[in-house]
Amino acid sequence: MPLTTRIVHIGRDPHSDEVLARGGDAEAESLLQRSGFIPVHRGHDRYHRLPRGLEQQEQVRRARRAVALLKAVGYAPQHDPDFASDVRAVHDLTLGAQVAGLAEHIRVAEHSEWAAAAVTELVAPGDGILPAVAEVLHSTADFLQGLGDEADPAHADRLRCLADQLSVITTGVGAYRNLLADRHTPHPLRPTCAGVDPLEAEASVTCSCPPSPPPLPTAARRTR
């Protein structure tokens, strides 16, 4: 990864006095947003800013949290002196990163059952990832509906439409999950390792193939 993508500048804009963050990559942007920053994408510029109307003390607190999180995962934040932080932040594995782990299971899957198990986590009724996301959208719509601004009901309706679209996607993905579950076949381009030749004379010999990924934890949870 280029060094420039590990550098993030966090400081007050000299013209507007807004706290702005510039630079970094997608992971840095994720950390900034988890610290309360808002992304701004324009044709000629791209940066993050803190929400408008925050008290100065809260601005400093959020900026310091961003600095601490960025340092915790190896970034080199350059910041105003007021935003220096000695806190050792802990950056836990995010929900998004856990979901992305399903992609790794599929990348190394040697059998259709492995792939089907991973995709099942997306569409499982009741506690699958996509149904859960739709539920979040509906809950956000309900929250916006009564927030008080004239445009809020329209925003809520739009979120509900997006949730409905996600339900259609869930149905489509579920069909491919079922197709995989019916295949019962190893992947022809990913042969399962046969292990060490039983005639191998060296007692210390071991297979050099990488270990199979651990089973998906949620599958075990559902069978209880």
Side-chain angles (χ1 to χ4, degrees), residues 140-212:
T140 307
D142 292 342
F143 184 85
L144 269 172
Q145 183 78 37
L147 205 53
D149 282 353
E150 183 178 351
D152 288 339
H155 294 320
D157 287 344
R158 175 58 179 157
L159 274 175
R160 293 188 182 102
C161 287
L162 292 173
D164 290 342
Q165 292 176 30
L166 193 57
S167 297
V168 174
I169 293 173
T170 302
T171 301
V173 175
Y176 285 103
R177 176 265 170 198
N178 296 338
L179 182 150
L180 285 167
D182 263 340
R183 294 297 290 271
H184 308 296
T185 182
H187 197 291
L189 301 180
R190 301 178 186 180
T192 302
C193 176
V196 178
D197 189 328
L199 300 179
E200 174 62 54
E202 294 293 332
S204 62
V205 71
T206 59
C207 177
S208 61
C209 293
S212 299

Side-chain angles (χ1 to χ4, degrees), residues 3 6-9 70-71 74-79:
L3 180 60
R6 308 300 292 180
I7 299 175
V8 181
H9 301 266
L70 289 164
K71 285 183 176 179
Y75 287 89
Q78 300 178 357
H79 52 80

Side-chain angles (χ1 to χ4, degrees), residues 29-61:
E29 292 185 356
S30 172
L31 294 172
L32 288 169
Q33 292 181 32
R34 284 180 164 82
S35 301
F37 282 75
I38 295 175
V40 179
H41 298 163
R42 293 176 174 158
H44 64 282
D45 204 0
R46 181 187 181 98
Y47 60 91
H48 282 72
R49 63 168 175 82
L50 286 179
R52 299 183 180 91
L54 294 179
E55 297 290 339
Q56 184 158 333
Q57 183 177 1
E58 178 63 13
Q59 294 177 11
V60 172
R61 187 192 72 80

Side-chain angles (χ1 to χ4, degrees), residues 212-224:
S212 299
L216 297 173
T218 47
R221 171 173 55 79
R222 287 201 187 91
T223 58
R224 288 202 295 266

